[in-house]
């Protein structure tokens, strides 16, 4: 008998943050494209977990409950994937609240910048396109700009207006990376650095940072990601091997919000996935 190698995608977004599929649609689409395991990792929020869990039971796919937390380390913006932490952990919740407040606080300031540039756009426009999102972000501002006809797509909105250094870019609060790793581990979860050398980050993690982060409780590095060219993947794989960190791969799917990031476009090796699940210690809901 031939056993098929399981296909595992450990980083996706739903409409509870800046993806365009509802959590249930995301899970159904993951099954449709032949994935065996999918992780829902919305930005800074676990709001999609319940809906995704129900849908995963219905369609018959393994769901990993995760999130992607906006962090900062030595002046670099770093996204941290957290898998299966207890979502009721008080310290974790408090810090996520701070990050979400930062997102909400940034919105009016971004709107002011856009208005000063002569673009007629309101906070309500953004709230309307953000729908059920808990974590609002620049992609929603981009969608509102598309609806008003100022840009053709999210890519153009980021390139012209919203990315670091562009006129409507506004900074926001990010959690301290080492603190957040500690909170995730304390909540029984597993911490993996997302796309450490991805696009859009002005300053990124130095190779020397990984042993320090490992000592703080980091378990893995997302190596196979579309923002990483082959050379970066090779280097990151070597860094992971040196520090005995798990290597993951994923799509960072955002529905039709981000072209060329289709579900399953990168996947995680089943042996690496086994290592990851072996570290999950939270007991909630079990
Ligand atoms: P924010 O969460 O507001 O900091 O916005 C960052 C998010 O925007 C990232 O996590 C991506 O999901 C998305 N993003 C970044 N660059 C682009 C781009 N060029 N096109 C579409 N989405 C992007
Ligand atoms: Zn996103
Ligand atoms: Fe990210
Ligand atoms: Fe992401």
């Amino acid at each position: 008998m031939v056993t098929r190698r399981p296909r595992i995608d450990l980083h996706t977004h739903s409409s509870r943050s800046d993806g365009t599929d509802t959590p249930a649609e995301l899970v159904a689409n993951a099954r449709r494209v032949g994935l065996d395991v999918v992780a829902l990792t919305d930005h800074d929020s676990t709001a999609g977990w319940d809906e995704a869990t129900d849908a995963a039971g219905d369609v018959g796919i393994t769901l990993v409950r995760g999130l992607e937390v906006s962090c900062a380390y030595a002046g670099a913006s770093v996204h941290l994937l957290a898998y299966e932490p207890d979502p009721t952990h008080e310290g974790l919740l408090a810090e996520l609240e701070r990050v979400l407040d930062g997102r909400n606080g940034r919105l009016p300031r971004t709107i002011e910048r856009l208005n000063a540039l002569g673009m007629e756009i309101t906070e309500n426009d953004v709230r309307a396109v953000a729908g059920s999102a808990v974590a609002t972000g620049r992609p929603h501002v981009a969608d509102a700009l598309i609806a008003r006809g100022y840009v053709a797509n999210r890519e153009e909105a980021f390139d012209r207006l919203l990315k670091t250094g562009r006129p409507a870019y506004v900074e926001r609060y990010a959690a301290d990376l080492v603190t957040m790793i500690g909170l995730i581990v304390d909540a029984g979860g597993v911490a993996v650095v997302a796309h450490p050398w991805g696009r859009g980050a002005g300053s990124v993690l130095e190779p020397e940072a990984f042993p320090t982060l490992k000592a703080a409780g980091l378990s893995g590095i997302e190596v196979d990601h579309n923002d990483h060219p082959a050379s970066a993947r090779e280097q990151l794989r070597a860094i992971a091997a040196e520090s005995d960190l798990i290597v993951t791969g994923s799509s960072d799917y955002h529905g039709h919000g981000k072209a060329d990031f289709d579900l399953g476009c990168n996947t995680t090796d089943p042996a690496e996935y086994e290592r990851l699940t072996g570290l999950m210690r939270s007991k909630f809901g079990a």
Side-chain angles (χ1 to χ4, degrees), residues 6-237:
R7 295 186 67 225
I8 301 159
D9 186 341
L10 292 179
H11 179 169
T12 71
H13 297 270
S14 79
S15 53
R16 295 308 172 93
S17 65
D18 55 7
T20 57
D21 291 357
T22 63
E25 287 167 348
L26 168 74
V27 166
N29 283 330
R31 181 70 270 188
R32 193 176 47 77
V33 302
L35 289 172
D36 301 281
V37 178
V38 66
L40 172 66
T41 54
D42 275 317
H43 295 285
D44 310 312
S45 168
T46 62
W49 283 16
D50 289 348
E51 183 183 323
T53 301
D54 289 347
D58 291 345
V59 305
I61 189 171
T62 299
L63 175 77
V64 177
R65 293 163 296 186
L67 61 163
E68 182 181 22
V69 188
S70 301
C71 298
Y73 181 81
S77 159
V78 180
H79 285 180
L80 185 67
L81 294 161
Y83 296 110
E84 299 278 340
D86 176 351
T88 66
H89 183 281
E90 280 184 18
L92 178 60
L93 271 178
E95 195 52 28
L96 291 176
E97 226 19 78
R98 254 175 240 134
V99 177
L100 290 172
D101 283 351
R103 287 182 170 279
N104 287 322
R106 174 172 62 172
L107 187 54
R109 295 189 291 141
T110 306
I111 298 292
E112 271 173 36
R113 296 278 184 99
L114 291 166
N115 293 158
L117 290 165
M119 296 179 185
E120 278 178 44
I121 177 173
T122 67
E123 216 172 309
N124 278 339
D125 290 345
V126 180
R127 301 263 174 227
V129 294
S132 65
V134 175
T136 54
R138 287 173 285 170
H140 299 115
V141 177
D143 290 347
L145 288 167
I146 296 167
R148 287 266 186 179
Y150 289 117
V151 294
N153 49 47
R154 285 184 178 183
E155 197 74 33
E156 187 190 341
F158 272 86
D159 285 346
R160 278 180 45 205
L161 300 160
L162 299 173
K163 71 181 185 187
T164 317
R166 291 292 184 259
Y169 173 76
V170 176
E171 265 208 273
R172 66 173 160 84
Y173 178 77
D176 174 71
L177 180 60
V178 170
T179 306
M180 184 46 71
I181 290 171
L183 287 169
I184 291 163
V185 173
D186 195 56
V190 181
V192 173
V193 172
H195 50 70
W197 295 345
R199 67 172 173 182
S203 158
V204 299
L205 286 178
E206 300 285 343
E208 296 71 38
F210 291 98
T212 310
L213 298 175
K214 161 97 182 180
L218 183 74
S219 293
I221 306 179
E222 184 182 59
V223 172
D224 291 303
H225 183 283
N226 273 0
D227 283 358
H228 291 155
S231 57
R233 296 183 190 203
E234 207 175 302
Q235 252 183 293
L236 286 166
R237 232 180 280 284

